[in-house]
Amino acid sequence: MGKGGVKMHRHMIILSSSYTEKTRIAIDCVDDLPKFTKYVDMVCQAYDGKRVLFSTHGLTTDSPEWSSIVAMDPYFQDVRLIQDIDQFIRLIQKERYLTGEIVARYILSKQRCTHTRLEKLTYLAYADFISETGTRLFEDEIYAFDYGPVIKSVYSKYSPDSKQHPSEYITDTSEIEYSGSEMSIKSRIIFAEDGLKKQFSIDKTLQRYREFSTEELIDITHREGSPWKHIYSKEEVYQKIPDEFIIQYHRFENP
């Protein structure tokens, strides 16, 4: 009991961020330490022992309602309260993995690119990372189209003509302007599994190829012995470039 006989309630909060939802999210275990301990374990297990970005907070108020937390501490004002632990885990698991389009947005926050250049740099960032670590930078499949390796989500987002057949050569000359915040997209990269390692690797790739023209990048990915060269066929449009081919043959793409 608090002063004046008012019953006090202990809020044990798990707080994380959902960049997909563009908000912070929380689970509030009120007066239930065993549940709180169980939920923390569940969140950690959802990442298979990998580092997951979340924090825990404890506050005592005179109400079990979340509104009493917000009234006490404005830090929680824009936090979305999640009632179900499974939903909470699903939301943070969305942030665990990257897509090619997220990596492309990060690249655009660093430099302006035509669509063709963006495809090349995103692919080379992937190839550098998987060759060095043996793990994937992002989840998209990579296809061997006429003009080189293409990442599906990057093509869908940034193609000058989304109805254009994916195997047709892109003769784009206009640069894509990125309207987002570099810090926001950088945070999204870092928030992912092994995010700091991935962000460092992407930066290293951009530094390695910064002096190369788009035409030179095309030549690099079309070299004899390259992963694209081993897979490409005019007869079959949607030919995937397997990770094992990238790991084995990316050395032919080194500048």
Side-chain angles (χ1 to χ4, degrees):
M1 293 286 183
K3 292 182 179 180
V6 176
K7 181 180 179 180
M8 304 302 289
H9 298 272
R10 183 64 174 169
H11 296 262
M12 290 158 283
I13 302 161
I14 305 171
L15 182 69
S16 190
S17 293
S18 172
Y19 288 92
T20 303
E21 301 291 320
K22 297 181 174 60
T23 188
R24 290 178 296 155
I25 56 175
I27 282 278
D28 184 16
C29 302
V30 185
D31 301 324
D32 196 335
L33 180 58
K35 179 193 283 188
F36 173 75
T37 303
K38 176 184 176 182
Y39 282 4
V40 169
D41 287 343
M42 289 174 68
V43 170
C44 292
Q45 289 171 15
Y47 270 63
D48 302 324
K50 299 281 187 178
R51 177 171 172 262
V52 54
L53 295 176
F54 70 93
S55 57
T56 58
H57 305 263
L59 290 90
T60 300
T61 72
D62 59 3
S63 168
E65 300 300 321
W66 178 255
S67 57
S68 67
I69 293 292
V70 177
M72 172 176 282
D73 191 341
Y75 174 74
F76 295 95
Q77 185 161 2
D78 296 322
V79 174
R80 176 183 167 194
L81 182 65
I82 307 298
Q83 302 292 344
D84 178 70
I85 185 60
D86 291 329
Q87 182 187 4
F88 183 86
I89 289 172
R90 283 195 299 272
L91 286 172
I92 62 172
Q93 279 184 323
K94 281 185 180 181
E95 317 306 330
R96 182 177 179 180
Y97 303 108
L98 300 176
T99 65
E101 190 263 327
I102 290 170
V103 173
R105 277 194 281 146
Y106 179 69
I107 292 171
L108 286 172
S109 76
K110 296 284 190 177
Q111 61 177 268
R112 294 178 66 167
C113 298
T114 63
H115 176 223
T116 301
R117 184 175 184 82
L118 187 60
E119 291 281 3
K120 298 294 166 279
L121 289 175
T122 306
Y123 163 73
L124 289 167
Y126 182 93
D128 284 350
F129 186 79
I130 197 170
S131 297
E132 183 177 335
T133 68
T135 57
R136 311 187 78 191
L137 178 63
F138 51 76
E139 294 304 295
D140 298 58
E141 299 292 350
I142 299 174
Y143 297 93
F145 292 148
D146 284 355
Y147 49 93
V150 167
I151 297 95
K152 183 177 180 181
S153 66
V154 180
Y155 183 87
S156 298
K157 175 74 174 179
Y158 295 107
S159 170
D161 180 1
S162 61
K163 295 181 180 179
Q164 178 181 346
H165 195 285
S167 69
E168 294 176 1
Y169 190 82
I170 297 176
T171 56
D172 59 331
T173 56
S174 60
E175 292 182 334
I176 302 166
E177 292 190 42
Y178 178 61
S179 58
S181 158
E182 179 181 344
M183 184 56 66
S184 176
I185 192 63
K186 182 177 181 179
S187 297
R188 175 63 184 89
I189 301 282
I190 293 173
F191 198 79
E193 183 177 310
D194 296 325
L196 284 172
K197 185 190 296 185
K198 289 177 177 178
Q199 183 244 322
F200 176 78
S201 180
I202 298 166
D203 286 345
K204 190 164 66 172
T205 297
L206 296 180
Q207 179 67 19
R208 180 181 296 134
Y209 294 103
R210 67 189 177 93
E211 300 298 333
F212 287 80
S213 68
T214 300
E215 290 71 24
E216 288 172 326
L217 295 181
I218 293 172
D219 290 342
I220 285 172
T221 59
H222 281 64
R223 284 177 182 166
E224 287 296 329
S226 70
W228 178 86
K229 200 72 172 180
H230 279 276
I231 293 295
Y232 175 69
S233 169
K234 279 186 175 295
E235 285 69 42
E236 297 186 52
V237 176
Y238 285 93
Q239 285 286 89
K240 293 179 183 178
I241 304 179
D243 286 342
E244 55 267 28
F245 275 48
I246 297 176
I247 292 169
Q248 185 174 356
Y249 301 118
H250 178 51
R251 67 184 187 274
F252 293 103
E253 298 172 317
N254 289 330

